[in-house]
Amino acid sequence: MTEQAQETNDPKRIDGKKSARRLLKGVKARVAACTERGVTPCLAVVLIGDNAASQVYVRNKERRAKKVGIATRDHRATGSTTEELLTVIRALNDDPEVDGILVQLPLPDNIDSDAILLEIAPDKDVDGFHPYNLGRLMIGRPRFVACTPQGCLHLLEEQGQSLAGKRALVVGRSTIVGKPVAHLLLQANATVTIAHSRTQNLAEEVARAEILVAAVGRAHCIKGEWIRPGALVIDVGINRLEDGSLTGDVEYEAARARASAITPVPGGVGPMTIACLLNNVVIAAERRAGLRDDA
Ligand code: NDP
């Protein structure tokens, strides 16, 4: 266990495990409400190939799903072609008992990942990666929000400060993390800047930010001394060091000394991702059960 993970009583440490447990408790109650209406929330998980890390991720997702009463359908195969996988996705799209479809990434090189993700019906796209759902987020009417960005916002909102009018900096502009986080912050009325590899003076940008979300994937590329005093810091980065331990994009100890609150790595954003996935599955099931009409 890392030093960060041991500091359980640190008031500045944003405990993602605790927040995830809280969210999952609510999800479990909502699953029960669906089940009472005769709708058992169901997540279909598609795993192609034999990537060891993907197998672990899928196992964790399925285990967590079962714990809150969400049923799972497993499709596992090796050596599939794009066409075969498209057929599987179409069958899941048409299956009225499947609420959410998750295709574990990365797919093997021979498969056209974009074509597969495009084929998932937007109303079953619980990962929130379909261009339709990304577009809905951009126009300020989100339907399914990608899980890690959603987790970041939950953690920020739980800090009890309004995000409205705050200067927020998102470092990283990927489609699965940086850009959706920036749009969610914008929707929460923060004043948002996005930094990336071509940003000229990252230190200056960080020093202005009252809210910082780091989603780069480079260990400790955000220096603690750059952090604005009192800032809220969400570190999405997961980087493996030579000794095998995991660390974030932000220099934790030095940043913690200046920040009002900060997520550790591990134990910050990571645990929220699966909780938000299951949150999305139950949202889909609530729509099927007539418990939600947010078209
Ligand atoms: P990508 O590699 O897709 O994106 C990284 C972004 O960082 C790019 O926009 C890139 O800029 C930017 N960047 C690279 N170098 C710099 C730099 N020196 N200064 C400023 N910006 C820079 O990564 P992801 O978005 O997929 O993931 C980011 C991190 O989050 C990774 O560590 C990943 O493991 C982690 N992650 C964690 C999850 C969780 O559950 N906790 C889930 C998903 C991801 P440019 O666009 O110009 O290339």
Side-chain angles (χ1 to χ4, degrees), residues 173 194-202:
R173 57 174 165 181
I194 306 178
H196 45 78
S197 65
R198 308 288 184 91
T199 295
Q200 286 297 316
N201 193 335
L202 188 59

Side-chain angles (χ1 to χ4, degrees), residues 62-78:
E62 291 182 333
R63 197 165 44 87
R64 292 283 170 154
K66 283 191 183 113
K67 265 192 170 171
V68 295
I70 293 176
T72 56
R73 291 268 184 90
D74 223 15
H75 177 89
R76 294 183 189 223
T78 46

Side-chain angles (χ1 to χ4, degrees), residues 148 171-178 195-199 202 214-218 221 235-239 249 269-271 273:
T148 300
V171 190
R173 57 174 165 181
S174 73
T175 308
I176 60 168
V177 190
H196 45 78
S197 65
R198 308 288 184 91
T199 295
L202 188 59
V216 179
R218 289 170 55 137
C221 64
D235 192 348
V236 186
I238 303 178
N239 310 288
D249 291 344
V269 176
T273 299

Side-chain angles (χ1 to χ4, degrees), residues 182-198:
H183 279 290
L184 287 170
L185 285 165
L186 197 56
Q187 231 188 308
N189 296 314
T191 301
V192 184
T193 302
I194 306 178
H196 45 78
S197 65
R198 308 288 184 91

Side-chain angles (χ1 to χ4, degrees), residues 223-293:
K223 305 299 168 201
E225 69 202 34
W226 298 350
I227 303 294
R228 175 172 167 151
L232 284 176
V233 180
I234 304 290
D235 192 348
V236 186
I238 303 178
N239 310 288
R240 198 169 284 284
L241 297 177
E242 272 179 17
D243 65 3
S245 63
L246 294 180
T247 194
D249 291 344
V250 181
E251 280 185 339
Y252 183 81
E253 284 305 335
R256 185 195 154 281
R258 298 171 70 88
S260 62
I262 180 167
T263 57
V265 178
V269 176
M272 293 301 286
T273 299
I274 294 184
C276 290
L277 168 73
L278 301 180
N279 184 45
N280 280 348
V281 176
V282 80
I283 286 172
E286 285 169 340
R287 288 181 184 135
R288 174 156 70 101
L291 291 170
R292 174 188 277 273
D293 60 350

